[in-house]
Amino acid sequence: MRGAQITGWGAALPEKVVTNHDLSTTLDTTHDWIVERTGIHERRVGGSTSGLAIEAGRLAMEKAGWEPSTVDLVILATTTPDQQVPASASTVQNELGLTCGAFDLNAVCSGFAYSLITAHGFIQVGLSRILVIGADTLSRITDWDDRGTAILFADGAGAVALEAVEGPGELLGWDLGSDGSLRHILDADIGGYLNMDGKEVFRRAVRVMVSSGKAAIERAGLTPDDVDLVIPHQANIRIIESACNKLGIPLDKAVSVLHRTGNTSAASIPLALADAADSGRLQPGAIVLLVGFGAGMTWASAVIRWNP
Ligand code: UT7
Protein backbone atom coordinates (compact mmCIF):
# COMPACT_ATOMS: atom_id res chain seq x y z
CA MET A 1 0.00 0.00 0.00
CA ARG A 2 1.22 3.46 -0.88
CA GLY A 3 -0.06 6.70 0.60
CA ALA A 4 1.15 10.27 1.01
CA GLN A 5 1.69 13.01 3.53
CA ILE A 6 2.30 16.75 3.39
CA THR A 7 5.92 17.54 4.24
CA GLY A 8 6.16 21.22 3.30
CA TRP A 9 4.02 24.28 2.76
CA GLY A 10 4.35 27.86 1.60
CA ALA A 11 2.30 31.01 1.04
CA ALA A 12 2.65 34.09 -1.14
CA LEU A 13 0.67 37.33 -1.19
CA PRO A 14 1.19 40.43 -3.32
CA GLU A 15 2.60 43.46 -1.49
CA LYS A 16 -0.20 45.86 -2.31
CA VAL A 17 -2.85 46.04 0.41
CA VAL A 18 -6.34 47.27 -0.51
CA THR A 19 -8.41 48.09 2.57
CA ASN A 20 -12.17 48.35 2.85
CA HIS A 21 -11.65 52.09 3.37
CA ASP A 22 -9.82 52.23 0.02
CA LEU A 23 -12.78 50.52 -1.68
CA SER A 24 -15.28 52.87 -0.03
CA THR A 25 -13.66 55.81 -1.82
CA THR A 26 -14.73 54.43 -5.23
CA LEU A 27 -17.71 52.19 -4.38
CA ASP A 28 -21.02 52.78 -2.60
CA THR A 29 -19.96 50.70 0.41
CA THR A 30 -18.44 51.04 3.89
CA HIS A 31 -15.78 49.29 5.97
CA ASP A 32 -18.41 48.36 8.54
CA TRP A 33 -20.79 46.82 5.97
CA ILE A 34 -18.02 44.69 4.45
CA VAL A 35 -16.78 43.50 7.86
CA GLU A 36 -20.26 42.71 9.12
CA ARG A 37 -21.40 40.84 5.96
CA THR A 38 -18.12 39.10 5.05
CA GLY A 39 -15.46 39.37 7.79
CA ILE A 40 -13.00 40.86 5.29
CA HIS A 41 -10.93 43.89 6.43
CA GLU A 42 -8.37 44.04 3.65
CA ARG A 43 -7.04 42.04 0.73
CA ARG A 44 -3.87 41.81 -1.39
CA VAL A 45 -3.88 42.68 -5.06
CA GLY A 46 -1.21 42.36 -7.76
CA GLY A 47 1.39 40.07 -9.26
CA SER A 48 0.82 37.23 -11.70
CA THR A 49 -0.61 33.80 -11.04
CA SER A 50 2.64 32.05 -11.98
CA GLY A 51 4.76 34.56 -10.02
CA LEU A 52 2.78 33.99 -6.83
CA ALA A 53 2.69 30.22 -7.46
CA ILE A 54 6.47 30.11 -7.90
CA GLU A 55 7.03 31.96 -4.61
CA ALA A 56 4.67 29.69 -2.65
CA GLY A 57 5.98 26.56 -4.41
CA ARG A 58 9.61 27.44 -3.67
CA LEU A 59 8.83 27.89 0.03
CA ALA A 60 7.01 24.54 0.17
CA MET A 61 9.95 22.78 -1.50
CA GLU A 62 12.44 24.41 0.89
CA LYS A 63 10.37 23.42 3.91
CA ALA A 64 10.22 19.82 2.63
CA GLY A 65 13.96 19.84 1.81
CA TRP A 66 13.35 18.89 -1.83
CA GLU A 67 15.97 19.34 -4.54
CA PRO A 68 14.31 20.44 -7.81
CA SER A 69 15.55 17.31 -9.62
CA THR A 70 13.59 15.06 -7.21
CA VAL A 71 10.13 16.52 -7.91
CA ASP A 72 7.86 14.29 -10.04
CA LEU A 73 4.90 16.56 -10.88
CA VAL A 74 3.42 20.04 -10.47
CA ILE A 75 -0.35 20.49 -10.23
CA LEU A 76 -1.39 24.14 -10.28
CA ALA A 77 -5.00 24.81 -9.30
CA THR A 78 -6.05 28.06 -10.92
CA THR A 79 -8.92 29.79 -12.67
CA THR A 80 -6.78 32.73 -13.72
CA PRO A 81 -3.82 31.42 -15.72
CA ASP A 82 -1.46 34.12 -17.01
CA GLN A 83 -2.24 33.16 -20.59
CA GLN A 84 -4.90 31.13 -22.34
CA VAL A 85 -2.04 28.94 -23.61
CA PRO A 86 0.22 27.55 -22.18
CA ALA A 87 -0.80 26.37 -18.73
CA SER A 88 0.79 28.52 -16.01
CA ALA A 89 2.09 25.30 -14.45
CA SER A 90 4.65 25.15 -17.29
CA THR A 91 6.05 28.54 -16.22
CA VAL A 92 6.18 27.35 -12.60
CA GLN A 93 7.95 24.11 -13.59
CA ASN A 94 10.56 26.00 -15.60
CA GLU A 95 11.20 28.80 -13.09
CA LEU A 96 11.57 26.37 -10.18
CA GLY A 97 14.11 24.35 -12.19
CA LEU A 98 11.97 21.22 -12.17
CA THR A 99 12.27 18.46 -14.76
CA CYS A 100 8.84 16.91 -14.43
CA GLY A 101 5.28 17.03 -15.71
CA ALA A 102 3.13 20.05 -14.99
CA PHE A 103 -0.50 20.97 -15.61
CA ASP A 104 -3.20 23.40 -14.52
CA LEU A 105 -6.41 22.19 -12.90
CA ASN A 106 -9.50 24.39 -12.94
CA ALA A 107 -12.19 23.65 -10.38
CA VAL A 108 -12.37 27.32 -9.35
CA CYS A 109 -12.41 27.77 -5.56
CA SER A 110 -12.50 23.99 -5.00
CA GLY A 111 -9.36 23.64 -7.13
CA PHE A 112 -6.82 23.13 -4.36
CA ALA A 113 -8.81 20.37 -2.65
CA TYR A 114 -9.44 18.75 -6.07
CA SER A 115 -5.71 18.94 -6.79
CA LEU A 116 -4.68 17.46 -3.46
CA ILE A 117 -6.95 14.47 -4.03
CA THR A 118 -5.76 14.18 -7.66
CA ALA A 119 -2.14 14.19 -6.46
CA HIS A 120 -2.88 11.25 -4.15
CA GLY A 121 -4.03 9.32 -7.23
CA PHE A 122 -0.68 9.98 -8.94
CA ILE A 123 1.12 8.77 -5.80
CA GLN A 124 -0.91 5.55 -5.95
CA VAL A 125 0.33 4.88 -9.49
CA GLY A 126 3.96 5.45 -8.60
CA LEU A 127 4.99 9.12 -8.31
CA SER A 128 6.84 10.11 -5.12
CA ARG A 129 6.99 13.91 -4.85
CA ILE A 130 4.25 16.24 -6.06
CA LEU A 131 4.08 20.00 -5.67
CA VAL A 132 0.42 21.00 -5.29
CA ILE A 133 -0.21 24.72 -5.65
CA GLY A 134 -3.33 26.88 -5.55
CA ALA A 135 -2.83 30.32 -7.10
CA ASP A 136 -5.22 32.94 -8.41
CA THR A 137 -5.24 36.58 -9.42
CA LEU A 138 -8.98 37.18 -9.34
CA SER A 139 -8.38 40.94 -9.32
CA ARG A 140 -7.78 40.63 -13.09
CA ILE A 141 -11.31 39.33 -13.71
CA THR A 142 -13.10 41.46 -11.11
CA ASP A 143 -15.11 44.53 -12.09
CA TRP A 144 -13.81 47.08 -9.59
CA ASP A 145 -16.98 49.14 -10.10
CA ASP A 146 -19.22 46.27 -8.94
CA ARG A 147 -19.63 46.41 -5.15
CA GLY A 148 -21.21 42.94 -5.13
CA THR A 149 -17.92 41.29 -6.14
CA ALA A 150 -15.11 43.85 -5.73
CA ILE A 151 -15.33 43.68 -1.93
CA LEU A 152 -14.65 39.93 -1.95
CA PHE A 153 -12.04 38.86 -4.47
CA ALA A 154 -8.25 39.10 -4.31
CA ASP A 155 -4.92 37.53 -5.23
CA GLY A 156 -2.54 35.01 -3.63
CA ALA A 157 -0.99 31.55 -3.71
CA GLY A 158 -0.39 28.65 -1.36
CA ALA A 159 1.41 25.37 -1.90
CA VAL A 160 2.11 22.02 -0.28
CA ALA A 161 4.78 19.42 -0.90
CA LEU A 162 3.14 15.98 -0.99
CA GLU A 163 5.41 12.98 -0.49
CA ALA A 164 4.77 9.25 -0.89
CA VAL A 165 4.99 7.05 2.21
CA GLU A 166 4.72 3.32 2.72
CA GLY A 167 1.34 2.33 4.12
CA PRO A 168 -2.01 4.08 3.85
CA GLY A 169 -0.67 7.62 4.34
CA GLU A 170 -2.49 10.56 5.86
CA LEU A 171 -5.45 11.09 3.51
CA LEU A 172 -8.19 9.44 5.53
CA GLY A 173 -11.31 10.33 3.54
CA TRP A 174 -12.37 12.55 0.66
CA ASP A 175 -15.31 13.71 -1.41
CA LEU A 176 -15.61 15.48 -4.77
CA GLY A 177 -18.64 16.89 -6.51
CA SER A 178 -20.03 19.16 -9.17
CA ASP A 179 -23.49 20.39 -10.14
CA GLY A 180 -23.15 22.10 -13.50
CA SER A 181 -26.82 23.10 -13.52
CA LEU A 182 -25.66 25.90 -11.18
CA ARG A 183 -23.06 27.33 -13.59
CA HIS A 184 -25.02 30.58 -13.91
CA ILE A 185 -24.81 31.62 -10.23
CA LEU A 186 -21.09 32.44 -10.53
CA ASP A 187 -19.38 32.77 -13.88
CA ALA A 188 -17.09 34.84 -16.09
CA ASP A 189 -16.93 34.75 -19.87
CA ILE A 190 -13.50 34.50 -21.49
CA GLY A 191 -12.13 38.03 -21.34
CA GLY A 192 -14.99 39.14 -19.08
CA TYR A 193 -15.64 39.85 -15.40
CA LEU A 194 -17.02 37.68 -12.62
CA ASN A 195 -20.82 37.71 -12.33
CA MET A 196 -22.34 36.44 -9.12
CA ASP A 197 -25.71 35.85 -7.51
CA GLY A 198 -24.23 36.31 -4.04
CA LYS A 199 -27.25 35.19 -2.05
CA GLU A 200 -27.67 31.99 -4.03
CA VAL A 201 -23.95 31.17 -3.86
CA PHE A 202 -24.08 31.74 -0.10
CA ARG A 203 -27.06 29.40 0.38
CA ARG A 204 -25.61 26.65 -1.82
CA ALA A 205 -22.13 27.03 -0.34
CA VAL A 206 -23.29 26.26 3.17
CA ARG A 207 -25.29 23.29 1.92
CA VAL A 208 -22.44 21.67 -0.03
CA MET A 209 -19.83 22.38 2.64
CA VAL A 210 -21.96 20.48 5.13
CA SER A 211 -22.86 17.53 2.87
CA SER A 212 -19.36 17.17 1.43
CA GLY A 213 -17.59 17.66 4.77
CA LYS A 214 -19.84 15.04 6.35
CA ALA A 215 -19.23 12.58 3.49
CA ALA A 216 -15.43 12.90 3.81
CA ILE A 217 -15.56 12.53 7.60
CA GLU A 218 -17.75 9.42 7.32
CA ARG A 219 -15.48 7.87 4.68
CA ALA A 220 -12.57 8.43 7.06
CA GLY A 221 -14.50 6.36 9.63
CA LEU A 222 -14.68 9.40 11.92
CA THR A 223 -17.31 11.73 13.36
CA PRO A 224 -17.33 15.55 13.46
CA ASP A 225 -16.19 15.33 17.11
CA ASP A 226 -12.92 13.78 15.91
CA VAL A 227 -12.05 16.83 13.78
CA ASP A 228 -9.39 19.02 15.44
CA LEU A 229 -9.21 21.73 12.78
CA VAL A 230 -11.32 22.82 9.80
CA ILE A 231 -9.55 24.61 6.95
CA PRO A 232 -12.42 25.91 4.81
CA HIS A 233 -12.46 27.91 1.61
CA GLN A 234 -12.07 31.53 2.69
CA ALA A 235 -15.07 33.24 1.09
CA ASN A 236 -17.16 34.74 3.86
CA ILE A 237 -16.91 34.31 7.65
CA ARG A 238 -20.68 33.91 7.85
CA ILE A 239 -20.53 30.93 5.44
CA ILE A 240 -17.84 29.34 7.63
CA GLU A 241 -19.86 30.01 10.81
CA SER A 242 -23.03 28.59 9.36
CA ALA A 243 -21.34 25.48 7.91
CA CYS A 244 -19.44 24.73 11.15
CA ASN A 245 -22.63 25.16 13.11
CA LYS A 246 -24.51 22.70 10.88
CA LEU A 247 -21.58 20.25 10.91
CA GLY A 248 -21.55 20.37 14.72
CA ILE A 249 -17.95 21.59 14.81
CA PRO A 250 -17.20 24.56 17.11
CA LEU A 251 -16.19 27.71 15.22
CA ASP A 252 -12.96 27.99 17.22
CA LYS A 253 -11.76 24.90 15.35
CA ALA A 254 -12.01 26.73 12.01
CA VAL A 255 -9.02 28.54 10.52
CA SER A 256 -9.80 31.93 9.02
CA VAL A 257 -7.38 34.29 7.31
CA LEU A 258 -9.96 36.01 5.13
CA HIS A 259 -9.94 39.19 7.23
CA ARG A 260 -6.56 39.95 5.64
CA THR A 261 -6.68 37.97 2.35
CA GLY A 262 -10.24 38.24 1.02
CA ASN A 263 -11.35 35.41 -1.26
CA THR A 264 -8.31 34.18 -3.21
CA SER A 265 -10.13 31.22 -4.85
CA ALA A 266 -7.80 28.21 -5.29
CA ALA A 267 -5.20 29.85 -3.03
CA SER A 268 -7.48 30.25 -0.05
CA ILE A 269 -7.23 26.79 1.54
CA PRO A 270 -3.41 26.45 1.22
CA LEU A 271 -2.99 30.05 2.50
CA ALA A 272 -5.05 29.17 5.57
CA LEU A 273 -3.19 25.86 5.96
CA ALA A 274 0.21 27.60 5.82
CA ASP A 275 -0.98 30.13 8.40
CA ALA A 276 -2.15 27.36 10.76
CA ALA A 277 1.10 25.41 10.29
CA ASP A 278 3.36 28.45 10.80
CA SER A 279 1.47 29.65 13.86
CA GLY A 280 1.65 26.23 15.54
CA ARG A 281 -2.11 25.78 15.40
CA LEU A 282 -1.62 22.58 13.40
CA GLN A 283 -0.17 20.04 15.80
CA PRO A 284 1.24 16.63 14.80
CA GLY A 285 -1.51 14.02 14.80
CA ALA A 286 -4.30 16.58 14.29
CA ILE A 287 -7.30 15.48 12.23
CA VAL A 288 -7.94 18.21 9.67
CA LEU A 289 -10.95 18.75 7.42
CA LEU A 290 -10.23 20.73 4.25
CA VAL A 291 -13.43 21.81 2.57
CA GLY A 292 -13.76 23.85 -0.61
CA PHE A 293 -16.64 25.04 -2.78
CA GLY A 294 -16.90 27.31 -5.74
CA ALA A 295 -18.23 28.12 -9.16
CA GLY A 296 -19.53 25.21 -11.20
CA MET A 297 -20.76 24.60 -8.63
CA THR A 298 -17.96 22.39 -7.49
CA TRP A 299 -17.02 21.15 -4.06
CA ALA A 300 -14.28 18.99 -2.56
CA SER A 301 -13.36 17.84 0.92
CA ALA A 302 -10.41 15.95 2.34
CA VAL A 303 -9.80 14.64 5.84
CA ILE A 304 -6.09 14.37 6.55
CA ARG A 305 -3.93 13.57 9.55
CA TRP A 306 -1.29 16.27 10.01
CA ASN A 307 2.05 14.52 10.23
CA PRO A 308 4.66 16.65 8.46
O1 UT7 B 1 -15.86 31.44 -3.79
C1 UT7 B 1 -17.24 31.61 -3.78
C2 UT7 B 1 -17.48 33.05 -4.03
N1 UT7 B 1 -18.63 33.70 -3.60
C3 UT7 B 1 -19.17 33.72 -2.36
O2 UT7 B 1 -18.85 33.01 -1.48
C4 UT7 B 1 -20.23 34.77 -2.17
C5 UT7 B 1 -21.33 34.35 -1.24
N2 UT7 B 1 -22.19 35.46 -0.95
C6 UT7 B 1 -21.86 36.46 -0.07
O3 UT7 B 1 -20.76 36.44 0.50
C7 UT7 B 1 -22.88 37.51 0.23
O4 UT7 B 1 -24.09 37.20 -0.42
C8 UT7 B 1 -22.42 38.95 -0.18
C9 UT7 B 1 -21.30 39.40 0.74
C10 UT7 B 1 -21.99 38.98 -1.62
C11 UT7 B 1 -23.60 39.90 0.03
O5 UT7 B 1 -24.03 39.86 1.37
P1 UT7 B 1 -25.57 39.67 1.72
O6 UT7 B 1 -25.67 39.68 3.17
O7 UT7 B 1 -26.09 38.49 0.97
O8 UT7 B 1 -26.17 41.04 1.16
P2 UT7 B 1 -27.37 41.23 0.13
O9 UT7 B 1 -26.95 40.93 -1.25
O10 UT7 B 1 -28.60 40.58 0.70
O11 UT7 B 1 -27.60 42.77 0.28
C12 UT7 B 1 -28.14 43.39 1.47
C13 UT7 B 1 -28.21 44.89 1.24
C14 UT7 B 1 -28.89 45.27 -0.06
O12 UT7 B 1 -29.55 46.50 0.17
P3 UT7 B 1 -31.12 46.55 0.44
O13 UT7 B 1 -31.76 45.90 -0.75
O14 UT7 B 1 -31.31 45.77 1.72
O15 UT7 B 1 -31.39 48.01 0.60
C15 UT7 B 1 -27.74 45.48 -1.00
O16 UT7 B 1 -28.05 46.37 -2.05
O17 UT7 B 1 -26.88 45.42 1.16
C16 UT7 B 1 -26.69 46.09 -0.09
N3 UT7 B 1 -25.34 45.84 -0.54
C17 UT7 B 1 -24.30 46.55 -0.13
N4 UT7 B 1 -24.20 47.61 0.70
C18 UT7 B 1 -22.98 48.11 0.93
C19 UT7 B 1 -24.89 44.86 -1.37
N5 UT7 B 1 -23.56 44.94 -1.49
C20 UT7 B 1 -23.16 45.98 -0.75
C21 UT7 B 1 -21.91 46.56 -0.46
N6 UT7 B 1 -21.87 47.62 0.38
N7 UT7 B 1 -20.77 46.08 -0.98
Side-chain angles (χ1 to χ4, degrees):
M1 225 182 168
R2 195 176 159 84
Q5 69 187 44
I6 292 170
T7 55
W9 57 91
L13 290 169
E15 271 176 30
K16 185 178 175 191
V17 177
V18 176
T19 66
N20 293 344
H21 293 294
D22 294 332
L23 292 180
S24 68
T25 63
T26 53
L27 291 171
D28 181 15
T29 191
T30 62
H31 169 76
D32 290 347
W33 191 95
I34 300 171
V35 171
E36 189 187 313
R37 299 297 178 116
T38 72
I40 298 167
H41 289 236
E42 61 183 42
R43 71 284 293 142
R44 300 294 186 97
V45 169
S48 66
T49 292
S50 60
L52 292 164
I54 289 161
E55 195 182 328
R58 184 172 283 126
L59 290 169
M61 284 171 56
E62 276 170 17
K63 184 82 84 184
W66 288 1
E67 287 302 321
S69 61
T70 65
V71 178
D72 295 322
L73 184 66
V74 179
I75 306 178
L76 172 59
T78 188
T79 312
T80 48
D82 295 333
Q83 293 171 282
Q84 185 81 46
V85 174
S88 296
S90 293
T91 310
V92 174
Q93 170 264 310
N94 183 54
E95 294 294 322
L96 289 177
L98 311 180
T99 49
C100 61
F103 66 96
D104 286 3
L105 184 154
N106 181 350
V108 199
C109 303
S110 315
F112 179 80
Y114 259 82
S115 297
L116 188 66
I117 296 161
T118 302
H120 277 84
F122 279 103
I123 298 259
Q124 288 272 321
V125 295
L127 298 191
S128 295
R129 289 183 164 181
I130 305 181
L131 192 57
V132 183
I133 309 175
D136 267 306
T137 46
L138 288 184
S139 68
R140 292 191 295 114
I141 59 165
T142 300
D143 177 358
W144 290 94
D145 292 326
D146 172 19
R147 71 176 182 174
T149 51
I151 58 163
L152 298 174
F153 298 121
D155 306 335
V160 298
L162 189 73
E163 182 133 16
V165 291
E166 290 306 317
E170 307 298 8
L171 176 65
L172 310 180
W174 55 274
D175 177 65
L176 294 180
S178 169
D179 179 354
S181 72
L182 297 171
R183 301 192 300 284
H184 59 283
I185 65 174
L186 178 51
D187 64 7
D189 289 330
I190 289 175
Y193 290 134
L194 288 161
N195 271 304
M196 182 177 72
D197 178 347
K199 270 195 175 318
E200 193 57 17
V201 174
F202 191 114
R203 219 164 53 84
R204 301 276 182 177
V206 173
R207 209 184 284 175
V208 299
M209 277 179 78
V210 173
S211 58
S212 180
K214 269 190 183 155
I217 292 168
E218 264 173 41
R219 284 178 202 148
L222 300 172
T223 70
D225 286 345
D226 298 315
V227 173
D228 297 306
L229 208 63
V230 183
I231 305 186
H233 173 44
Q234 308 283 307
N236 183 320
I237 194 66
R238 291 188 299 131
I239 294 178
I240 297 174
E241 279 167 7
S242 183
C244 282
N245 188 25
K246 289 186 162 69
L247 278 165
I249 299 176
L251 185 62
D252 62 8
K253 289 188 175 178
V255 179
S256 172
V257 295
L258 60 81
H259 56 284
R260 62 183 177 85
T261 64
N263 180 345
T264 57
S265 193
S268 90
I269 288 180
L271 277 172
L273 183 149
D275 186 84
D278 287 334
S279 66
R281 229 181 136 185
L282 261 177
Q283 288 296 317
I287 300 294
V288 186
L289 170 65
L290 312 181
V291 49
F293 63 88
M297 278 192 86
T298 55
W299 55 90
S301 301
V303 177
I304 60 170
R305 193 186 299 106
W306 186 249
N307 187 16

